């Protein structure tokens, strides 16, 4: 071999070894230096195009990649925090075949996957996207590793949640105006404003002094009815309970028994009604309406349609305590048909009291009512029951407005045409309470006194139960509806101490504060 060939052969071997080490092949065909250089350059360019992040793509190259080299190893392989890699869809979590790479974090000084606990990038790249973390406010800018659309997911999720109804936001009942800082009870113990009462807690109230005044009024022959009125008809129920307790402590006698022995007739019924706690009184009225032959459905309708959820629950408890019977079971036993179902729904005390409204749902419900009643042969009573017995008053007012638009007449007209008997009266009562509670009670008061005779039990119940809630509103509405004052109508139908006691409740004690 000539010297020249020997030198050229040595150079060729060196080139083969160098090129083979870089490409991962120990042996290359000897087709000339120019062809080998061209093939190597073309291969490297193809690798770069397929993996812009530098992640090794060949199975046989994996073991020789060299983690210290730029753009190799885990530095950027398949991880694009912003999800903007051009070939992200082609990325693989690990190169196909070959041994598994070191676990992320095995080389702390190198780049790699996000630290443990960080969500894996969620684009079309390597690995399964993690579910969104609710409440997470970070994003790519805060190092969270989410693509831009991910942090918005919780907001989209919230928009899909129905906005109606929301039980938790209930704070107060329908507002009927200011009341000088006094808040009557939502149930019979939780403050809530539902109207303008006539009776307010007396400032400087002294239970002992009032007990002594009552003792003097009942001492000796007869009873000073005016004094009884000035005390018991001018105090709230809570203050009357304190007076009753003070009377027993001071004189060793039961105030109610003393009053029963001294008073007579309708005036006695009025005063004894005032001495019952509200839930006890309502329970007694319901029991009386169902006791014996027949049922006085109007009393059931009045109480069950106009009380709050908390009040209904306390009435049920009081009924159970007084009569060892379940109120719902007695209502089922004394009524029938769709009227029974309405009362059972109301007795459950589950009406939404959030006052939140949803115009779209109101329109849908109005159309449901129209389809269930006027637009079909027969009536789907359950649809009316489901909507009228469960939704809050503000929402129902919106439903009534939408029904007017859908049918070109009022919801009351539809119910009068589609229903009859007690269920019709019950549904109309619900609507009347929803539309204008003071007007509903003003009408009941007027009905109790119109015509021949007076329905005294109804008159007493209405005056006693509304005095601490919305009697001032009822009094004003009565004047507007009937062009006479409630006081004047009471004067025309009642007499004596009974009349004076009712007027004291209607006018209230604002001047005594």
């Amino acid at each position: 071999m000539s010297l020249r060939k020997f030198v050229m052969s040595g150079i060729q071997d060196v080139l083969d070894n160098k090129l083979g080490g870089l490409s991962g092949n120990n042996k290359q065909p000897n087709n000339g230096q120019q062809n080998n250089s061209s093939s190597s350059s073309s291969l490297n360019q193809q690798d770069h195009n397929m993996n812009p992040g530098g992640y090794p793509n060949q199975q046989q190259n994996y073991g020789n990649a060299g983690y210290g080299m730029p753009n190799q190893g885990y530095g950027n392989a398949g991880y694009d925090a912003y999800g903007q890699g051009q070939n992200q869809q082609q990325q693989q979590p690990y190169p196909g075949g070959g041994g598994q790479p070191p676990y992320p974090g095995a080389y702390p000084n190198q780049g790699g996957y996000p630290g443990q606990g960080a969500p894996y990038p969620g684009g079309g790249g390597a690995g399964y996207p993690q579910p969104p973390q609710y409440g997470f406010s970070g994003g790519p800018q805060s190092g969270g590793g989410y693509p831009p659309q991910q942090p918005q997911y919780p907001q989209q999720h919230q928009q899909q949640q129905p906005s109606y109804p929301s039980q938790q936001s209930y704070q107060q009942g329908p507002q009927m105006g200011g009341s000088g800082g006094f808040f009557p009870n939502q149930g019979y113990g939780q403050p809530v404003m539902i109207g303008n009462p006539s009776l307010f807690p007396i400032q400087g109230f002294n239970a002992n002094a009032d007990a002594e005044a009552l003792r003097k009024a009942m001492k000796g022959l007869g009873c000073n009815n005016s004094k009884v009125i000035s005390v018991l008809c001018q105090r709230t129920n809570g203050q009357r309970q304190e007076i009753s307790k003070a009377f027993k402590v001071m004189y060793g006698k039961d105030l109610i028994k003393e009053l029963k022995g001294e008073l007579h007739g309708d005036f006695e019924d009025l005063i004894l009604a005032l001495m019952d706690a509200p839930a006890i009184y309502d329970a007694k009225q319901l029991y009386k309406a169902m006791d014996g032959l027949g049922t006085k459905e109007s009393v059931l309708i009045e109480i069950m349609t106009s009380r709050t959820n908390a009040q209904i629950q306390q009435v049920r408890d009081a009924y159970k305590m007084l009569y060892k019977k379940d109120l719902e079971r007695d209502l089922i036993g004394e009524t029938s048909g769709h009227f029974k179902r309405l009362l059972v729904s109301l007795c459950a005390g589950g009406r939404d009291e959030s006052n939140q409204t949803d115009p779209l749902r109101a329109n849908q419900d109005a159309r449901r009512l129209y389809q269930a009643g006027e637009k079909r042969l027969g009536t789907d009573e359950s649809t009316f029951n489901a909507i009228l017995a469960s939704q809050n008053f503000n929402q129902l007012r919106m439903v009534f407005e939408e029904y007017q638009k859908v049918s070109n007449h009022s919801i009351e007209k539809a119910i009068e045409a589609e229903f009859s008997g007690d269920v019709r009266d019950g549904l109309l009562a619900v609507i009347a309470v929803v539309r204008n509670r003071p007007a509903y009670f003003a009408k009941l008061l007027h009905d109790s006194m119109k015509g021949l005779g007076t329905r005294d039990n109804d008159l007493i119940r209405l005056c006693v139960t509304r005095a601490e809630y919305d009697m001032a509103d009822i009094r004003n509405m009565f004047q507007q509806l009937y062009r006479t004052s409630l006081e004047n109508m009471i004067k025309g139908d009642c007499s004596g101490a009974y009349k004076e006691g009712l007027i004291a409740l209607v006018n209230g004690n604002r001047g005594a504060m």
Side-chain angles (χ1 to χ4, degrees):
M1 177 184 297
S2 66
L3 179 61
R4 181 180 179 183
K5 288 183 177 182
F6 178 80
V7 172
M8 291 299 294
S9 176
I11 293 174
Q12 184 66 45
D13 290 340
V14 171
L15 290 174
D16 288 345
N17 291 335
K18 293 294 184 180
L19 292 175
L22 289 174
S23 65
N25 296 323
N26 293 328
K27 293 183 179 181
Q28 292 286 350
N30 187 3
N31 293 329
Q33 180 179 2
Q34 183 176 359
N35 290 339
N36 286 334
S37 296
S38 176
S39 298
S40 176
S41 175
S42 175
L43 181 61
N44 290 340
Q45 181 65 35
Q46 182 180 5
D47 289 348
H48 179 76
N49 290 338
M50 293 299 293
N51 266 300
Y55 199 96
N57 219 11
Q58 288 83 11
Q59 173 181 343
Q60 62 269 31
N61 289 352
Y62 190 78
N64 299 324
Y67 294 103
M69 297 183 66
N71 296 328
Q72 296 218 5
Y74 292 106
N76 295 311
Y79 182 76
D80 182 359
Y82 294 88
Q84 297 174 351
Q86 295 178 353
N87 298 321
Q88 194 172 11
Q89 298 296 330
Q90 300 177 8
Q91 297 285 353
Q92 299 295 327
Y94 294 108
Q100 293 294 329
Y103 193 80
Y107 294 87
N109 294 328
Q110 294 189 1
Y113 301 114
Q116 295 183 6
Y120 202 83
Y128 293 102
Q130 297 294 325
Q133 304 297 316
Y134 295 101
F136 177 76
S137 59
Q141 293 81 359
S142 62
Y146 281 84
Q149 66 271 21
Q150 296 262 13
Q152 299 173 6
Y153 185 85
Q155 181 179 359
Q156 294 171 357
H157 180 77
Q158 289 175 1
Q159 291 173 352
Q160 295 171 359
Q161 294 293 332
S163 59
Y164 176 86
S166 176
Q167 301 274 356
Q168 293 91 341
S169 60
Y170 177 68
Q171 295 295 335
Q172 57 186 14
Q175 298 264 352
M176 301 301 296
S179 65
F182 172 62
F183 295 89
N185 295 328
Q186 169 202 349
Y188 300 112
Q190 301 176 2
V192 62
M193 172 53 61
I194 61 172
N196 289 308
S198 59
L199 288 182
F200 299 84
I202 290 290
Q203 295 180 1
F205 167 71
N206 188 321
N208 292 340
D210 284 345
E212 184 178 358
L214 290 173
R215 169 69 172 170
K216 291 180 179 178
M218 293 183 287
K219 190 176 181 180
L221 295 177
C223 178
N224 187 339
N225 292 335
S226 296
K227 193 64 177 178
V228 172
I229 292 171
S230 67
V231 175
L232 296 181
C233 294
Q234 298 289 284
R235 304 292 185 269
T236 63
N237 189 270
Q239 292 176 337
R240 291 183 215 114
Q241 303 308 318
E242 293 186 42
I243 294 170
S244 180
K245 182 178 179 179
F247 192 93
K248 181 171 288 188
V249 170
M250 293 173 67
Y251 306 110
K253 296 182 179 181
D254 185 79
L255 176 58
I256 294 177
K257 289 183 178 179
E258 293 294 303
L259 291 170
K260 284 182 178 180
E262 296 290 335
L263 308 178
H264 306 282
D266 294 328
F267 182 55
E268 177 187 354
D269 293 339
L270 173 64
I271 297 301
L272 294 180
L274 288 170
M275 296 307 299
D276 277 330
I280 297 291
Y281 182 71
D282 277 350
K284 288 181 177 180
Q285 290 293 299
L286 290 170
Y287 182 81
K288 184 177 180 180
M290 294 184 284
D291 190 31
L293 295 177
T295 301
K296 192 170 184 182
E297 288 84 359
S298 61
V299 176
L300 305 182
I301 292 171
E302 175 197 323
I303 294 177
M304 300 306 296
T305 60
S306 63
R307 302 309 191 251
T308 66
N309 291 344
Q311 289 174 337
I312 288 174
Q313 183 57 55
Q314 292 190 32
V315 170
R316 293 180 63 168
D317 294 341
Y319 195 94
K320 186 81 169 180
M321 179 190 71
L322 289 172
Y323 306 110
K324 312 303 179 188
K325 301 167 75 176
D326 185 71
L327 174 59
E328 180 180 316
R329 184 166 298 179
D330 278 3
L331 290 172
I332 292 173
E334 293 294 328
T335 58
S336 61
H338 296 289
F339 179 57
K340 173 183 69 177
R341 296 187 182 97
L342 175 63
L343 290 179
V344 170
S345 296
L346 296 173
C347 187
R351 182 183 296 280
D352 168 42
E353 294 180 330
S354 67
N355 287 338
Q356 294 185 3
T357 57
D358 184 339
L360 176 60
R361 180 166 181 174
N363 180 266
Q364 294 171 344
D365 286 341
R367 294 181 182 278
R368 285 176 59 201
L369 292 173
Y370 186 64
Q371 295 285 343
E374 299 179 76
K375 207 171 182 181
R376 59 171 287 173
L377 185 62
T379 304
D380 181 6
E381 294 87 351
S382 62
T383 300
F384 284 82
N385 191 89
I387 293 174
L388 296 181
S390 65
Q391 298 187 7
N392 72 67
F393 285 6
N394 285 353
Q395 180 70 16
L396 284 175
R397 291 186 190 106
M398 190 173 288
V399 171
F400 300 158
E401 292 174 3
E402 292 298 318
Y403 194 92
Q404 180 81 33
K405 298 175 185 177
V406 170
S407 64
N408 293 320
H409 57 73
S410 68
I411 185 74
E412 289 91 342
K413 183 176 180 180
I415 288 184
E416 288 173 353
E418 296 294 324
F419 294 88
S420 62
D422 295 327
V423 66
R424 177 197 61 197
D425 296 340
L427 292 174
L428 289 175
V430 171
I431 295 171
V433 171
V434 170
R435 284 196 185 277
N436 190 327
R437 187 193 302 261
Y440 171 72
F441 284 113
K443 183 178 184 303
L444 292 182
L445 282 166
H446 184 267
D447 291 347
S448 71
M449 294 181 283
K450 73 177 182 180
L452 295 175
T454 302
R455 301 204 307 266
D456 293 293
N457 189 65
D458 293 342
L459 180 58
I460 291 171
R461 183 181 61 256
L462 291 165
C463 290
V464 168
T465 59
R466 307 318 302 174
E468 294 182 55
Y469 294 90
D470 50 7
M471 180 56 78
D473 298 315
I474 295 169
R475 186 179 63 214
N476 294 336
M477 187 59 63
F478 193 97
Q479 178 75 43
Q480 295 178 32
L481 291 175
Y482 303 108
R483 304 302 177 187
T484 185
S485 68
L486 179 55
E487 178 181 349
N488 285 338
M489 194 160 188
I490 291 173
K491 288 179 178 179
D493 275 67
C494 307
S495 61
Y498 174 51
K499 173 190 69 177
E500 298 300 327
L502 291 172
I503 291 175
L505 293 175
V506 168
N507 291 335
N509 60 3
R510 175 62 81 180
M513 294 184 66

